[in-house]
């Protein structure tokens, strides 16, 4: 029936993100004569995302509650077994100790996952105050550089301070998540390159840029790049390609950015690897000092390696 309106949902890819559009087609003209059709597009991505996040938050809250309770007695029991009976095991004490340590370690890993579930389910509203965006990025890179000495870190920062209304803790967590994801991507590629007998050195480059009323943090790596062939947005909760991943890292970053009125962008790099950006819209044009000269930037990077 040409007079009947048709409605469908379609998905399109834009800058590494999946957008969901509601498409409606209706006929135009009289009862007996159709002169044309009207096609309307409504972007319902955020509506569907909000519904999905609400459902996943409830799942995470319930899961954290049900699993967390037995973890402590399991860990305490394992530690007591090791203290009490290790000296009495004569046949194979080394295996006994290794098994107990495995239990304790795996309980700790589960506890870390539950902490991520709880953080996602109870993400507080941001406490917006003026902070130096450059200092927040510098601190995040410093921690990762010292923890991952097998990766080369570089950073580009404007000279002086860059004021930004944000929640310092949440923004720092977002940058840490991005740097950790970049390091995980590099680790995956490093293993593949080692099997192929190729020389490979992981590199992560972080930058902060202000152009007019647009402030952007970016994290680039030379890892394996963005996952291909996913049927869901990689920033959705519990979407991951890693065997040991929870799929909450980018979901938390996206939630933090939405609460700050910003957005997260994801792109593949032509040279290989990925580029992730955190974009903030500033209320007024912020004037910052010119970028650090190349020689000074290299000196900073060398001094902090």
């Amino acid at each position: 029936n040409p007079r009947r309106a048709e409605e469908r949902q379609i998905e399109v890819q834009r800058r590494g993100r999946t957008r969901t559009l509601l498409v409606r087609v209706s006929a135009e003209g009289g009862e007996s004569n159709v002169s044309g059709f009207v096609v309307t597009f409504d972007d319902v991505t955020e509506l569907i995302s909000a519904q999905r996040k609400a459902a996943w938050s409830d799942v995470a809250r319930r899961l954290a509650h049900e699993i967390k309770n037995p973890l402590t007695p399991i860990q305490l029991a394992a530690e007591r077994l090791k203290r009490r009976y290790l000296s009495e095991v004569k046949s194979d004490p080394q295996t006994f100790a290794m098994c107990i340590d495995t239990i304790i370690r795996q309980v700790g890993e589960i506890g870390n996952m539950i902490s991520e579930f709880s953080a996602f389910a109870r993400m507080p509203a941001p406490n917006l105050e003026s902070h130096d965006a450059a200092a927040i990025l510098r601190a995040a890179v410093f921690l990762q550089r010292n923890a991952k000495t097998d990766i080369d870190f570089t950073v580009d920062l404007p000279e002086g301070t860059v004021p930004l209304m944000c929640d310092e803790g949440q923004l720092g967590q977002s940058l840490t998540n991005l740097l950790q994801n970049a390091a995980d991507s590099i680790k995956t590629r490093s293993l593949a390159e080692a099997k192929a007998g190729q020389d490979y050195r992981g590199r992560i480059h972080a930058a902060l840029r202000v152009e007019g009323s647009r402030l952007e943090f970016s994290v680039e790596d030379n890892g394996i790049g963005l996952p291909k062939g996913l049927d869901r947005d990689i920033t959705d909760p519990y979407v991951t390609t890693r065997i040991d991943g929870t799929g909450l890292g980018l979901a938390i970053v996206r939630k933090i950015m939405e609460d700050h009125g910003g957005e997260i962008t994801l792109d593949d790099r032509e040279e290989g690897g990925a580029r992730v950006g955190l974009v903030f819209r500033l209320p007024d044009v912020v004037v910052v000092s010119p970028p650090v000269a190349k020689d000074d930037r290299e000196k900073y990077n060398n001094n902090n390696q």
Side-chain angles (χ1 to χ4, degrees):
N1 182 357
R3 304 298 308 169
R4 186 179 65 190
E6 292 290 338
E7 195 173 85
R8 294 287 189 276
Q9 273 188 197
I10 64 172
E11 293 184 345
V12 296
Q13 292 286 332
R14 179 178 178 270
R15 302 196 69 181
R17 297 279 304 278
T18 301
R19 309 297 298 184
T20 303
L21 305 179
L22 184 64
V23 183
R24 181 181 175 85
V25 181
S26 57
E28 190 177 49
E31 289 293 333
S32 59
N33 182 31
V34 176
S35 60
F37 295 90
V38 177
V39 182
T40 59
F41 296 87
D42 290 317
D43 188 342
V44 294
T45 307
E46 301 307 324
L47 174 61
I48 293 176
S49 175
Q51 293 172 340
R52 186 180 292 130
K53 278 189 288 189
W56 277 122
S57 292
D58 185 59
V59 170
R61 186 165 46 249
R62 292 173 183 270
L63 187 62
H65 176 73
E66 294 298 328
I67 296 180
K68 193 172 185 178
N69 286 340
L71 287 183
T72 299
I74 290 173
Q75 182 171 350
L76 292 176
E79 291 172 347
R80 177 165 180 167
L81 282 172
K82 185 176 181 179
R83 289 195 307 268
R84 177 68 177 82
Y85 296 105
L86 180 58
S87 61
E88 298 182 16
V89 176
K90 304 301 181 182
S91 59
D92 194 354
Q94 184 177 5
T95 299
F96 177 80
M98 288 178 59
C99 290
I100 294 298
D101 289 341
T102 298
I103 294 173
I104 295 173
R105 184 172 61 256
Q106 293 302 319
V107 166
E109 292 293 332
I110 295 173
N112 291 336
M113 292 174 62
I114 294 304
S115 296
E116 287 196 46
F117 293 150
S118 298
F120 179 72
R122 298 197 306 266
M123 184 68 68
N127 179 24
L128 300 180
E129 295 180 350
S130 181
H131 294 283
D132 180 9
I136 296 174
L137 179 58
R138 187 183 296 113
V141 172
F142 176 81
L143 291 175
Q144 294 298 312
R145 174 185 280 133
N146 282 275
K148 299 174 175 63
T149 55
D150 57 331
I151 297 176
D152 293 332
F153 285 84
T154 56
V155 60
D156 274 341
L157 298 171
E159 193 175 48
T161 61
V162 183
L164 175 66
M165 291 296 295
C166 65
D167 185 306
E168 183 180 24
Q170 291 188 7
L171 180 54
Q173 179 185 4
S174 295
L175 293 170
T176 297
N177 285 2
L178 297 188
L179 293 167
Q180 181 61 57
N181 282 353
D184 290 339
S185 176
I186 286 172
K187 180 180 178 181
T188 300
R189 181 176 175 183
S190 178
L191 293 174
E193 297 287 357
K195 289 181 180 179
Q198 301 293 325
D199 289 332
Y200 170 75
R201 178 76 177 182
R203 297 187 303 275
I204 295 177
H205 179 72
L208 172 62
R209 296 181 179 85
V210 180
E211 297 178 357
S213 60
R214 187 179 191 272
L215 181 149
E216 181 184 21
F217 296 92
S218 63
V219 174
E220 301 183 34
D221 65 73
N222 64 336
I224 59 173
L226 299 176
K228 306 296 188 295
L230 292 180
D231 59 355
R232 285 178 55 194
D233 192 330
I234 193 175
T235 63
D236 280 348
Y238 308 110
V239 176
T240 182
T241 57
R242 290 167 43 209
I243 296 176
D244 58 345
T246 62
L248 289 176
L250 286 179
I252 290 174
V253 174
R254 178 179 173 182
K255 176 68 166 59
I256 289 173
M257 290 304 296
E258 288 175 348
D259 289 345
H260 280 73
E263 65 174 327
I264 177 173
T265 62
L266 302 99
D267 297 285
D268 280 310
R269 299 174 66 237
E270 291 183 3
E271 310 91 328
R275 181 185 188 279
V276 184
L278 303 182
V279 180
F280 292 83
R281 300 295 177 184
L282 304 177
D284 300 300
V285 174
V286 176
V287 178
V288 298
S289 301
V292 179
K294 180 179 179 182
D295 292 343
D296 292 338
R297 184 172 68 243
E298 290 179 348
K299 183 186 300 181
Y300 169 84
N301 290 327
N302 291 333
N303 289 340
N304 287 274
Q305 285 183 355

